[in-house]
Amino acid sequence: MAKIISIHSFRGGTGKSNTAANIAALLAGGGKKTGVVDTDIQSPGIHVLFGIDQAAIKYTLNDFLWGKCEIRHASYDMSQAQGIAPPGKLFLIPSSVKTGDIARVLHYGYDVNLLREGFQRLIDELALDYLLIDTHPGLNEETLLSIALSDVLIIVLRPDQQDYQGSAVTVEVSRQLEVPSLLLLVNKVPSILNMDDLKQKVEKTYNCPVAGLIPHSEEMMVLASSGIFALHYPHHPVTELYRRVADMLTA
Amino acid sequence: MQPLSVKTVFQKLSHWGLLWAVLYGLMNILSNQLTLPAAPAIAIRPQVALPMIIGFFYGPLPGFVTGFLGNMIGDVLYGYGIGQFWNWHIANGLMGLVPGLAAMLAGIKVMKTVRDFGIIEAAVVVSCAVAVGVAVCLDLLFIHLMKFPESFNAWILPAFIFNAVSGFILVPVFFLLARRVVITLETRTILTITSLLVVAILSTSITITWAMHDDLTSYNALVNAIYFAGIVSVIMVIIGFASSIYFVKRITGPVTLLTEAAVSVEKGEYDLESIQPVSRRTDELGQLSRVLQNMAGEVYQREQTLKKQVEQLQIRIDRKKMDQDVADIVGTDYFQDLREKVKEFRKK
């Protein structure tokens, strides 16, 4: 049975897409068939991390949602480009970066139920073990749907008051949607903070396990928008932290 | 070989003391017109500082050349001839040689500390004593022009005193002019105290000399001279007192400011704008002030970081706002519908 994992954050800029890409890469690297869907249609970005050639993208998630194609036509096998060895597979389902397409979503919206159907078909047709959903920040309808469909919800937050407050809302809403597993991932932690203290405090506040605390890393910042960190630095301590999160998902 | 330009020739000549010797000779001619009232046989010769300075700056040999050759040139131009007072050529040469040796042995290129200052001034006085001593010895041995004790009291002792005082006062001035004094609290203080001392001594001696100028054989003349000396003394005390206060304030004022700043840092105030003027100084106080400012800035930064750290570790959640936000989402038809559908979906 495939697992759907949503990666969400209350605000933008938390490193949500980066987290999704790294965890997906590590799952695929561990021999799992993994798909990543960019449902952040209003501000897509995860495709940049995969280094996918714009010219090679014929169909996107937008085309599927507007009935222009099948969902499998909008999925791209990134295994070879990212050096994932069989039996692992890494698929990307990007959103359109064309401003016209983005404007259309903002203006007309789309059939949210079709998104659910799309996820299911992806899992079936690509024989996925894991489907990761990179959501849009905030709690709009398609994000709520993604959360509702998830087996695991990973909430990415930075250690600041606004993220603390927003994440509390997300945690509560997810509990009402009865998401089976909730995980918190504290990202961009300044080096001055004591990791253990912070972990304890966050777990106590949300009554929810913390999957990891990722320190603010200079190397990460350099590579942040040009590649998948875990694949470039497989032995870096930060990669180890991501790997632990991936291991929690496969356990 | 490099062709010699006018500039390099000039530099070489000055480096070996030859140019300075010419200058010294000319100055000797000019100053021969000036004499001390108490010892008319001795010319006032503040230029004796020149061979000393050349000794300090360029070394013992150029110092010797300046004094030796300079005195010879002066004598020739004045009409004494080269050989008549040859012992004084050597004596003048020694006034350049001794300071040069002292600076070389003590490793002094610039005046940096009180020790440097002391060695320089001691070398000045010693060079004068050696010069006079050698001149006298040479006369006793070879020339036999001096009469003792008359010559000694009449002009040899005054000559020594006057040369020593001139060098003592002028050599530090030349060090300052040549920018060979590193301005530190130490040099600043010693130069200030020394200049006060020099002004006091000079004014006293000038007053006495001036008073002695008149014929003091009558009672009235003596009383007048004492009055005159008294008035000058009172004026000097007032000026000296005022300038002492000024210099003390200049040196201790910044210390007071720094102390106040340090106390305010202790109280947790890190704005050290008040010591900005002290920080602009180039001496130790300036350095101390800058270090204090930097340290205060760093402490302030660390305190801010610590505050931020505590802030970030405190997770405060506004429950009321959270409940309202959750209610806004959960209350929609869409959410209710979604929750029902998901329940069915999960059952499968």
Side-chain angles (χ1 to χ4, degrees):
Chain A
M1 178 73 186
K3 265 189 184 173
I4 298 179
I5 299 156
S6 284
I7 320 285
H8 181 259
S9 67
F10 180 74
R11 284 194 300 163
T14 54
K16 175 174 53 64
S17 295
N18 251 301
T19 307
N22 278 292
I23 293 173
L26 290 169
L27 287 169
K32 306 292 182 187
K33 292 184 177 61
T34 311
V36 184
V37 188
D38 189 1
T39 65
D40 191 355
I41 297 177
Q42 295 175 23
S43 50
I46 200 167
H47 61 279
V48 179
L49 298 170
F50 284 85
I52 192 166
D53 183 11
Q54 284 298 330
I57 301 179
K58 196 176 174 200
Y59 294 111
T60 59
L61 184 66
N62 308 53
D63 297 306
F64 165 72
L65 292 172
W66 298 326
K68 284 197 204 162
C69 71
E70 293 296 321
I71 187 74
R72 65 170 182 280
H73 293 142
S75 77
Y76 298 86
D77 188 347
M78 306 305 300
S79 313
Q80 221 175 356
Q82 296 295 338
I84 305 291
K89 282 272 184 199
L90 185 57
F91 296 98
L92 173 68
I93 298 90
S95 280
S96 175
V97 290
K98 290 172 191 152
T99 45
D101 290 349
I102 293 169
R104 186 175 159 182
V105 171
L106 291 173
H107 196 258
Y108 297 107
Y110 56 88
D111 183 359
V112 169
N113 281 314
L114 201 55
L115 190 64
R116 197 198 74 164
E117 235 179 272
F119 291 166
Q120 197 52 53
R121 262 191 249 161
L122 269 177
I123 291 171
D124 294 343
E125 287 173 23
L126 300 174
L128 293 179
D129 297 308
Y130 293 95
L131 180 66
L132 270 69
I133 303 168
D134 184 16
T135 62
H136 182 66
L139 291 169
N140 60 13
E141 290 188 359
E142 73 268 19
T143 301
L144 285 172
L145 175 70
S146 299
I147 293 173
L149 296 175
S150 299
D151 297 291
V152 181
L153 171 64
I154 299 177
I155 300 171
V156 181
L157 67 151
R158 283 165 303 190
D160 64 47
Q161 289 305 332
Q162 257 183 298
D163 274 14
Y164 288 147
Q165 180 73 29
S167 302
V169 176
T170 313
V171 167
E172 188 52 37
V173 167
S174 312
R175 290 215 165 104
Q176 296 220 15
L177 287 171
E178 295 170 38
V179 176
S181 173
L182 270 179
L183 292 174
L184 296 169
L185 192 131
V186 190
N187 202 10
K188 300 187 178 177
V189 181
S191 53
I192 52 157
L193 292 184
N194 181 312
M195 292 277 182
D196 293 334
D197 285 359
L198 186 62
K199 184 172 192 274
Q200 267 190 350
K201 285 242 163 111
V202 172
E203 285 186 339
K204 203 178 149 214
T205 307
Y206 298 100
N207 189 24
C208 175
V210 169
L213 299 103
I214 314 289
H216 188 81
S217 150
E218 300 276 326
E219 280 165 289
M220 187 97 189
M221 291 303 288
V222 171
L223 256 178
S225 54
S226 63
I228 300 171
F229 187 83
L231 296 177
H232 281 271
Y233 297 92
H235 305 296
H236 195 276
V238 169
T239 304
E240 279 311 310
L241 294 170
Y242 280 126
R243 190 166 285 131
R244 255 183 259 168
V245 180
D247 290 346
M248 279 173 91
L249 297 171
T250 52
Chain B
M1 227 184 101
Q2 286 241 322
L4 289 172
S5 70
V6 176
K7 196 181 164 199
T8 50
V9 169
F10 198 82
Q11 273 175 346
K12 280 209 187 315
L13 287 178
S14 114
H15 196 260
W16 286 103
L18 296 171
L19 279 183
W20 301 113
V22 174
L23 183 64
Y24 189 49
L26 291 175
M27 286 165 91
N28 282 348
I29 295 296
L30 289 175
S31 71
N32 267 357
Q33 315 306 324
L34 300 166
T35 53
L36 270 185
I42 278 291
I44 294 178
R45 305 172 67 233
Q47 67 271 28
V48 289
L50 187 65
M52 298 173 186
I53 281 296
I54 300 307
F56 282 125
F57 291 180
Y58 294 106
L61 205 61
F64 186 83
V65 170
T66 304
F68 184 88
L69 210 60
N71 199 63
M72 199 185 273
I73 292 169
D75 277 9
V76 169
L77 292 178
Y78 202 72
Y80 288 150
I82 283 183
Q84 196 179 355
F85 301 112
W86 58 270
N87 57 329
W88 288 106
H89 303 337
I90 293 172
N92 277 276
L94 289 171
M95 285 198 287
L97 184 84
V98 173
L101 282 176
M104 207 167 75
L105 293 175
I108 295 170
K109 289 198 173 69
V110 291
M111 193 195 288
K112 240 186 327 200
T113 57
V114 168
R115 171 190 167 268
D116 298 344
F117 180 81
I119 291 173
I120 289 165
E121 293 290 45
V124 166
V125 176
V126 168
S127 74
C128 295
V130 169
V132 169
V134 168
V136 168
C137 289
L138 289 174
D139 183 271
L140 288 176
L141 288 173
F142 305 108
I143 303 170
H144 314 296
L145 276 176
M146 296 178 188
K147 287 188 209 98
F148 292 93
E150 297 90 333
S151 292
F152 192 79
N153 292 337
W155 58 273
I156 296 172
L157 190 62
F160 162 71
I161 292 173
F162 200 84
N163 287 350
V165 171
S166 299
F168 191 87
I169 295 168
L170 292 175
V171 165
V173 172
F174 276 103
F175 266 85
L176 271 172
L177 290 177
R179 300 191 177 280
R180 282 178 185 250
V181 178
V182 179
I183 295 295
T184 63
L185 196 56
E186 212 174 312
T187 52
R188 202 191 272 265
T189 311
I190 192 69
L191 288 175
T192 305
I193 292 175
T194 309
S195 42
L196 283 174
L197 186 72
V198 163
V199 169
I201 291 170
L202 275 189
S203 57
T204 313
S205 348
I206 290 170
T207 311
I208 291 170
T209 329
W210 196 273
M212 277 163 42
H213 206 67
D214 291 328
D215 177 18
L216 297 182
T217 44
S218 79
Y219 175 77
N220 277 347
L222 191 65
V223 169
N224 279 344
I226 291 170
Y227 272 137
F228 176 74
I231 289 164
V232 172
S233 303
V234 169
I235 293 170
M236 283 319 296
V237 165
I238 292 168
I239 293 172
F241 189 65
S243 48
S244 298
I245 289 174
Y246 171 75
F247 285 119
V248 165
K249 271 283 161 207
R250 255 183 76 97
I251 292 169
T252 59
V255 177
T256 312
L257 274 177
L258 286 179
T259 312
E260 281 167 3
V263 169
S264 76
V265 168
E266 198 182 31
K267 283 185 197 150
E269 291 157 22
Y270 300 115
D271 180 26
L272 296 187
E273 198 49 44
S274 61
I275 55 170
Q276 194 54 42
V278 187
S279 288
R280 279 195 283 271
R281 293 169 69 116
T282 50
D283 61 8
E284 298 98 317
L285 287 176
Q287 198 180 0
L288 190 65
S289 179
R290 288 189 295 277
V291 168
L292 190 66
Q293 279 183 318
N294 286 344
M295 263 167 53
E298 234 163 77
V299 170
Y300 177 74
Q301 275 304 324
R302 270 187 219 167
E303 199 168 79
Q304 289 304 308
T305 310
L306 207 70
K307 266 189 194 160
K308 211 173 148 194
Q309 195 173 347
V310 171
E311 180 97 334
Q312 277 168 321
L313 266 179
Q314 265 176 352
I315 306 175
R316 280 190 307 268
I317 288 167
D318 183 348
R319 295 280 160 192
K320 229 168 121 184
K321 188 178 180 305
M322 186 196 92
D323 289 343
Q324 185 58 48
D325 287 347
V326 171
D328 284 350
I329 294 164
V330 173
T332 57
D333 291 344
Y334 174 80
F335 188 87
Q336 294 302 328
D337 185 43
L338 182 65
R339 185 150 66 177
E340 289 313 308
K341 276 188 186 160
V342 163
K343 269 182 190 162
E344 281 172 40
F345 183 74
R346 292 206 196 281
K347 276 179 205 157
K348 284 180 196 169

